[in-house]
Amino acid sequence: MDTFEKIARKEGYHFIAGVDEVGRGPLAGPVVAAAVVLPPRVRLPGVCDSKKLSAKQRDESFSLLQKRASAIGVGIVEAEEIDRLNIHRASLKAMEKAVAALPCFPDFLLIDGLFTLDLSLPQKAIVKGDQKCLSVAAASIVAKVIRDRIMIAYHQAYPEYNFARHKGY
């Protein structure tokens, strides 16, 4: 699943970030994006598209990523800004914020979806990237776990919506 990263490394890139977001379709909550840089030849058993994992498996993979990833950045765009921008622009903005939150700026991006970001660095959009690309799958897990934790916190404030169970999806 690291074919895209290997190709980028052969082209001379070293700090390659996979980028993905969650929260485009929910009725409530923010859109959350993550950017994850993995070291070459890293072993990440169980890491795949976050939609294919149970909550427990995502949490386990999230813990593994926190230990083994070279860098993780998270970007969040709240509901008010989503309403102002539209969900597409808000998703791209969350991804840009995630890249900016990395402790070191990447030299190449692998982005889930059809669109690249308005950043001046090389990047490749990959349709279904969370299913095809390890660093994008890692980003999908990080974004989903962070967003789910936000929605659980919302549940504490608004228990009548049962966000701890439904999370807005």
Side-chain angles (χ1 to χ4, degrees):
M1 216 167 120
D2 63 347
T3 302
F4 289 99
E5 291 87 351
K6 286 179 180 176
I7 291 168
R9 284 191 179 91
K10 282 184 182 178
E11 292 176 359
Y13 300 107
H14 303 287
F15 201 67
I16 303 156
V19 185
D20 197 8
E21 54 70 33
V22 296
R24 283 185 60 105
L27 298 173
V31 61
V32 177
V36 177
V37 178
L38 300 174
R41 297 176 298 282
V42 68
R43 298 267 182 212
L44 296 169
V47 171
C48 63
D49 177 4
S50 65
K51 295 182 289 296
K52 295 182 179 182
L53 301 174
S54 69
K56 181 180 180 204
Q57 291 170 319
R58 281 191 301 271
D59 285 338
E60 290 168 355
S61 293
F62 181 79
S63 294
L64 182 64
L65 289 165
Q66 287 182 307
K67 293 173 190 162
R68 295 195 183 163
S70 298
I72 296 174
V74 175
I76 299 171
V77 174
E78 297 292 344
E80 298 79 18
E81 194 166 4
I82 295 169
D83 291 342
R84 189 173 53 77
L85 293 173
N86 78 40
I87 189 59
H88 173 70
R89 287 190 183 124
S91 296
L92 296 175
K93 182 173 183 176
M95 288 189 224
E96 290 168 5
K97 289 172 84 170
V99 171
L102 288 166
C104 297
F105 207 69
D107 58 3
F108 194 81
L109 300 178
L110 298 167
I111 303 163
D112 182 53
L114 293 168
F115 301 95
T116 57
L117 305 179
D118 190 20
L119 299 172
S120 60
L121 68 154
Q123 49 195 295
K124 178 174 183 59
I126 306 167
V127 175
K128 297 190 181 195
D130 51 0
Q131 297 173 23
K132 300 174 183 175
C133 178
L134 186 61
S135 61
V136 175
S140 79
I141 290 167
V142 171
K144 178 87 167 103
V145 169
I146 297 292
R147 187 179 190 285
D148 285 355
R149 290 178 180 177
I150 290 168
M151 296 311 293
I152 290 167
Y154 283 179
H155 175 77
Q156 303 302 316
Y158 310 103
E160 64 272 20
Y161 295 108
N162 199 12
F163 288 133
R165 179 167 179 213
H166 300 292
K167 299 181 183 66
Y169 296 104

